[in-house]
Amino acid sequence: MSAPPVPAPGTATAPGPGAGAGPTEGAANGAAARRAPLVLRNRSFGAVWLGQVLTQAAARMFQVGVSWWIVSHAVRDAPGLASGLFMAACTLPAVALAPVVAAAVARFPHRSVLRTVAVLAGAVSGALALWAHLAGPPLAAVYAAALALATCQAFFDPCLTTSVPELVDDADIETATGFELSTQSLAGLGGALLGALTVESAGVAGLAAGCAVAQLGAALLIAGARFRGAPTINTASDSKGDNDGSDGSEGAPAGAAPAAPRRRTLRRILADLPQVRRILICFTAANLFTTAVFVVIPLYTRSVLGGGGETVALLEASLGAGALLGAVTGARLPGRPTVAGAYCLGLMAVALALPGLVAQRPVVAGCLAVAGWCAGAVSVRFVALFQRLVPAADKPGFFAVMQAVLGASLPLASLLFGFAGDLLSPRTLCLVQGLGLLPAACALALPTLRTPSAGLDAEAVGGAR
């Protein structure tokens, strides 16, 4: 890893020609700057955001393209199981490597972590593109590349979430969170439009080459961004406190800044946040059924709609566009996050089940758009809530374990629905998805998750703006 980034705020700008203007003009200029979109008035955040768009779009394009390639070209017998195994490989690293990711994000400069994993992902994609161009790679090689790319993404996503306070001011955290989560929707939209179409026109070689260009471009953008310096931890003081029972502050020079709090284990973080823990469990159960949509869409397209790559692109784009709209509008949902989340999960259950009853392409696309909106809106509300409730020193570990907890059901869902896809009709799988979401929606609405708390009350007020 490289040296720590330059400790300069990403929003700082040099005094302009109007620095000596009067108070009224200066206030007007400041108000105009505040009205500008965050990605324009904060260039460092804008560069990192664009890098996130590229790297997550590349990851999603690879997933969509390869998943369709498996179902339509590579595997004739048991395509559901083969597609499920592929999606499991794409989701397993985020779960299995959570402690390693938390340690790396806490120890190394965030810019170095983001840049390094983007470069590694570009190298893996480039190697696969070269192999596929020279000779068709075996399915095992594609699985291995998917595992490597997912490992890079497992480091990238929580590190980026943790880096938000280093790039923006506190007043902009919710806006930055919305941009960050909308990036995942943009990635889903871009990957949906390009993944299946690219693999049909250019094969796996063209698909992997496009991913390599996007990942390396993201690395360049992140390398040029400026992060605020992360606070250093006084290990000597910590050691003293461990040995004599003190907090390590005795004997410090007068006026010296207090030592940064020690980072806690992932288990202790969740143990001290029982309300957050219960929310994460509800969404983990919901993810068992919602994420299966990525396995169901290719199977539904081939078996029920009889379409090709353009149909997969339409359905995936509908899901991504809905998620993008949800990420943009999610902060405006009124009420407490748990109540809004329960309603969104209920609506998503209807949207995912309806294609099992009505097999019309416009209806299916509309249902996926609604399901995507629900997912995007819920994500914005809860990630913004967690940004406020979780102590700063615990954020690296918390967001890594959040990704692991929420992703724990993804490999299992991919394997179960992939295996079931070879035995049951995709329309039946849609009904199973919808019915499976209802218990999670009911659990999220329980009064035990709506106990008054300062964080939830503040978020309820903020969501009603």
Side-chain angles (χ1 to χ4, degrees), residues 353-383:
L354 190 57
L357 302 175
V358 182
Q360 298 294 327
R361 188 175 307 184
V363 174
V364 176
C367 288
L368 289 176
V370 172
W373 179 87
C374 294
V378 167
S379 296
V380 167
R381 290 300 303 276
F382 281 96
V383 173

Side-chain angles (χ1 to χ4, degrees), residues 184-260:
Q184 300 177 12
S185 306
L186 282 173
L189 183 59
L193 291 173
L194 297 176
L197 296 177
T198 301
V199 81
E200 284 200 342
S201 60
V204 175
L207 180 72
C211 293
V213 172
Q215 296 280 10
L216 295 177
L220 289 175
L221 287 168
I222 293 170
R226 303 177 70 187
F227 288 59
R228 290 185 176 99
T232 57
I233 295 180
N234 190 335
T235 56
S237 298
D238 289 346
S239 176
K240 182 178 184 288
D242 289 341
N243 293 333
D244 60 13
S246 68
D247 60 2
S249 60
E250 296 180 2

Side-chain angles (χ1 to χ4, degrees), residues 217-321:
L220 289 175
L221 287 168
I222 293 170
R226 303 177 70 187
F227 288 59
R228 290 185 176 99
T232 57
I233 295 180
N234 190 335
T235 56
S237 298
D238 289 346
S239 176
K240 182 178 184 288
D242 289 341
N243 293 333
D244 60 13
S246 68
D247 60 2
S249 60
E250 296 180 2
R262 287 170 290 175
R263 295 185 177 95
R264 299 179 294 171
T265 63
L266 304 182
R267 181 178 298 179
R268 182 61 184 271
I269 293 172
L270 290 182
D272 289 349
L273 297 170
Q275 197 170 41
V276 172
R277 185 177 67 245
R278 289 194 294 267
I279 292 172
L280 291 180
I281 292 174
C282 287
F283 281 111
T284 299
N287 277 355
L288 183 63
F289 299 94
T290 58
T291 56
V293 70
F294 300 119
V295 176
V296 174
I297 284 178
L299 298 174
Y300 193 96
T301 299
R302 192 190 72 161
S303 303
V304 179
L305 299 179
E310 69 284 353
T311 302
V312 174
L314 170 66
L315 299 184
E316 293 275 3
S318 299
L319 185 66

